[in-house]
């Protein structure tokens, strides 16, 4: 029987989406059911942490956070692929002879955008040039990939090495124009040596070719082959591209229910799964899980009304994933307003329409409970979480 789980960050990201994706995947695999994780927005800037019961830890960027549990992954058209990050992470997961209990399949839509090193370099140079007015970018090249709007994955896969090289030279030429448009006409020697490195394009082509050997081209319908479909959103509701009140300090994608709902309508609006029936009507159990820490965080620049000193939350807590970096800076902390949390969850859920066959309901996952007033419990999961009193009880002194 098919069911669907949609994992959404309720705040500015870094809420624990990897934890919940791993939970949903492990639950299905433990029941001898198949599972696939759909990376429904963004790209390699996501950083979702999973720690297994055996203590194995990984920050997932380009693979679904259900990978350790045994789930496959799918990159839909709105996911941005980065071959360099893909291969780096692949080596981290399966290099040096590391094996899994089963072959992990990676599917990718031929319409995916693909990042080159020149978008990453441009992103980092522009962000550095902003100095104190930085946007809070991760430096992975997401926005620059969208601006260039180049060849899609399916187009690149049919190119030979010479055609790929010519395409990448065009990307390098575009980069120069893009930097000049942003007022960067003088490039320091360090950046110039990286841009002109004769091996840069060759290394990228090698990564791209190896990645193409490991992925399988597929349309959205591939998810129909699985018992559990898990959507793993990147970032959080407050970073959605439509949150104009935060100006430039958002992400260029939809971070809520919108992308999963559209993909499900594309798949289940046309295909009759014929598996579940309820009161004479076919339905698929669909749970939309909004994830939040017991406090707020924001890793990057921008408005943060709830911000407070870390000491007001817990002076002793550490975050091994969100370490300071040259582009986002240091993670920031703030108090969680339950009324506002509930409001944005309900608004996101209400404004999107799932296919009629998907009987959707809300769940809330609370993480980092042990860091809030030193509680022993680390995480909690409240299904049908429209009732904020359940959350209040978990946070009560």
């Amino acid at each position: 029987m098919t069911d669907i789980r949609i994992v959404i960050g309720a705040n500015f990201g870094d809420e624990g989406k990897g934890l919940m994706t791993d939970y949903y995947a492990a639950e299905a695999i433990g029941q001898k059911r198949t599972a696939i994780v759909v990376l429904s927005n963004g790209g390699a800037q996501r950083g979702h942490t999973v720690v297994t019961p055996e203590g194995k830890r990984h920050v997932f960027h380009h693979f679904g956070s259900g990978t350790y549990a045994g789930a496959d992954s799918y990159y839909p058209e709105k996911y941005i692929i980065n071959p360099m990050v893909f291969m780096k992470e692949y080596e981290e997961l399966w290099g040096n002879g590391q094996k899994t209990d089963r072959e992990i399949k990676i599917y990718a839509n031929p319409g995916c955008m693909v990042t080159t090193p020149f978008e990453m370099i441009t992103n980092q140079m522009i962000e550095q040039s902003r100095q104190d007015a930085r946007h809070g970018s991760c430096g992975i090249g997401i926005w620059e990939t969208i601006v260039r709007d180049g060849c899609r994955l399916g187009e690149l896969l049919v190119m030979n090495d010479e055609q790929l090289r010519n395409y990448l030279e065009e990307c390098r030429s575009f980069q120069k124009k893009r930097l000049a448009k942003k007022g960067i006409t003088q490039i320091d020697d360090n950046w110039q040596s990286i841009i002109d490195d004769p091996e840069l394009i060759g290394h990228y082509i090698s990564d791209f070719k190896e990645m193409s050997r490991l992925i399988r081209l597929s349309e959205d319908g591939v998810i129909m082959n699985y018992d559990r479909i898990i959507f793993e959103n990147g970032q959080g509701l407050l970073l959605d591209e439509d949150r104009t009140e935060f100006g430039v300090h958002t992400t260029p994608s939809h971070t809520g229910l919108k992308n999963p709902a559209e993909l499900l309508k594309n798949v289940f609006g046309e295909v009759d799964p014929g598996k579940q029936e309820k009161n004479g009507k076919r339905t698929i159990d669909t749970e939309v899980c909004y994830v939040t820490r017991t406090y707020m965080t924001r890793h990057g620049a921008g408005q943060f009304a709830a911000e407070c000193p870390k000491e007001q939350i817990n002076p002793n807590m550490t975050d091994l994933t969100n370490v300071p970096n040259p582009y986002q800076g240091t993670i920031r902390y703030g108090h969680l307003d339950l009324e506002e949390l509930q409001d944005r969850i309900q608004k996101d859920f209400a404004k999107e329409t799932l296919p009629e066959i998907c009987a959707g309901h809300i769940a809330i996952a609370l993480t980092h409970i042990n860091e809030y007033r030193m509680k022993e419990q680390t995480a909690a999961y409240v299904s049908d979480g429209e009732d904020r009193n359940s959350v209040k009880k978990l946070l009560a002194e």
Side-chain angles (χ1 to χ4, degrees):
M1 293 178 63
T2 301
D3 62 32
I4 298 165
R5 300 292 181 261
I6 302 173
V7 179
I8 296 173
N11 307 317
F12 287 107
D14 305 311
E15 300 95 346
K17 296 179 291 293
L19 171 70
M20 285 309 299
T21 301
D22 174 69
Y23 167 78
Y24 284 136
E27 182 181 57
I29 299 298
Q31 296 167 351
K32 308 300 182 186
R33 302 166 67 221
T34 57
I36 188 167
V37 177
V38 181
L39 281 66
S40 35
N41 74 305
Q45 85 273 43
R46 62 173 60 209
H48 296 175
T49 305
V50 172
V51 181
T52 68
E54 299 76 30
K56 188 163 58 171
R57 180 182 183 275
H58 182 75
V59 181
F60 287 92
H61 299 282
H62 233 306
F63 295 83
S65 296
T67 298
Y68 274 159
D72 295 335
S73 295
Y74 173 56
Y75 308 145
E77 189 172 354
K78 291 183 178 178
Y79 185 78
I80 298 175
I81 294 176
N82 187 319
M84 299 163 287
V85 176
F86 179 100
M87 288 311 307
K88 180 177 183 295
E89 187 170 5
Y90 181 85
E91 288 300 319
E92 290 173 355
L93 289 168
W94 292 292
N96 300 319
Q98 297 183 68
K99 297 185 182 297
T100 57
D101 294 336
R102 58 177 291 274
E103 178 189 9
I104 301 296
K105 299 182 181 68
I106 310 296
Y107 300 94
N109 191 293
C112 288
M113 288 185 175
V114 182
T115 296
T116 78
F118 301 108
E119 285 84 69
M120 296 178 70
I121 293 168
T122 302
N123 178 187
Q124 293 172 23
M125 291 180 67
I126 292 174
E127 188 72 345
Q128 283 184 347
S129 73
R130 293 182 176 124
Q131 299 182 356
D132 293 339
R134 293 186 182 190
H135 291 180
S137 169
C138 296
I140 297 294
I142 298 296
W143 176 245
E144 295 305 319
T145 303
I146 294 170
V147 168
R148 187 174 59 79
D149 193 17
C151 291
R152 299 305 199 263
L153 176 63
E155 298 172 292
L156 295 173
L157 286 173
V158 298
M159 293 184 183
N160 58 35
D161 286 5
E162 182 180 359
Q163 291 170 323
L164 275 172
R165 186 172 292 276
N166 290 338
Y167 173 73
L168 290 164
E169 291 289 359
E170 292 174 7
C171 294
R172 178 151 48 192
S173 297
F174 181 90
Q175 176 195 33
K176 294 177 182 178
K177 298 175 184 176
R178 174 70 173 156
L179 290 172
K181 186 176 181 179
K182 287 293 184 178
I184 302 175
T185 55
Q186 296 295 322
I187 301 175
D188 68 42
D189 292 341
N190 288 334
W191 277 123
Q192 196 65 60
S193 65
I194 294 172
I195 295 168
D196 295 336
D197 186 346
E199 296 184 354
L200 180 62
I201 288 178
H203 284 316
Y204 180 84
I205 291 175
S206 176
D207 282 345
F208 181 83
K209 291 288 188 179
E210 187 63 17
M211 181 192 76
S212 67
R213 184 183 68 81
L214 296 167
I215 63 175
R216 309 173 185 212
L217 281 189
S218 180
E219 301 290 344
D220 294 342
V222 70
I223 67 176
M224 291 284 294
N225 299 325
Y226 290 83
D227 300 317
R228 171 160 288 178
I229 304 162
I230 307 165
F231 288 86
E232 182 181 6
N233 273 22
Q235 296 79 54
L237 293 179
L238 291 172
L239 290 176
D240 190 279
E241 63 179 32
D242 290 339
R243 300 296 298 231
T244 56
E245 70 268 34
F246 294 112
V248 297
H249 305 293
T250 58
T251 193
S253 71
H254 293 292
T255 59
L257 187 54
K258 183 178 178 63
N259 286 4
E262 288 182 356
L263 192 148
L264 289 172
K265 280 184 268 191
N266 176 44
V267 173
F268 290 106
E270 299 176 1
V271 181
D272 181 1
K275 291 183 178 180
Q276 286 81 25
E277 289 193 10
K278 183 177 181 181
N279 298 326
K281 187 176 182 180
R282 293 189 184 94
T283 61
I284 297 174
D285 174 34
T286 302
E287 182 167 273
V288 185
C289 181
Y290 293 90
V291 190
T292 177
R293 297 192 189 200
T294 47
Y295 51 90
M296 295 276 284
T297 63
R298 180 160 196 175
H299 198 179
Q303 177 185 338
F304 190 12
E307 188 168 11
C308 69
K310 173 184 174 181
E311 289 71 23
Q312 290 188 16
I313 308 296
N314 182 340
N316 301 314
M317 61 186 177
T318 57
D319 192 322
L320 299 177
T321 299
N322 295 288
V323 296
N325 67 64
Y327 308 105
Q328 285 182 293
T330 302
I331 191 168
R332 301 150 67 191
Y333 299 90
H335 294 293
L336 179 66
D337 186 310
L338 293 182
E339 300 295 326
E340 292 180 359
L341 172 71
Q342 192 71 17
D343 181 62
R344 60 177 167 267
I345 287 174
Q346 290 178 333
K347 283 183 177 178
D348 182 68
F349 186 78
K351 75 180 179 181
E352 303 299 336
T353 304
L354 291 165
E356 187 177 0
I357 196 170
C358 300
H361 60 275
I362 293 176
I364 294 178
L366 285 165
T367 65
H368 297 258
I369 294 176
N370 58 313
E371 294 174 344
Y372 183 82
R373 301 184 182 175
M374 306 306 290
K375 291 178 177 288
E376 293 183 4
Q377 189 178 8
T378 57
Y381 164 62
V382 183
S383 189
D384 287 320
E386 294 92 339
D387 181 6
R388 67 172 64 91
N389 289 325
S390 299
V391 180
K392 286 183 176 178
K393 183 177 179 182
L394 286 166
L395 294 177
E397 293 188 69

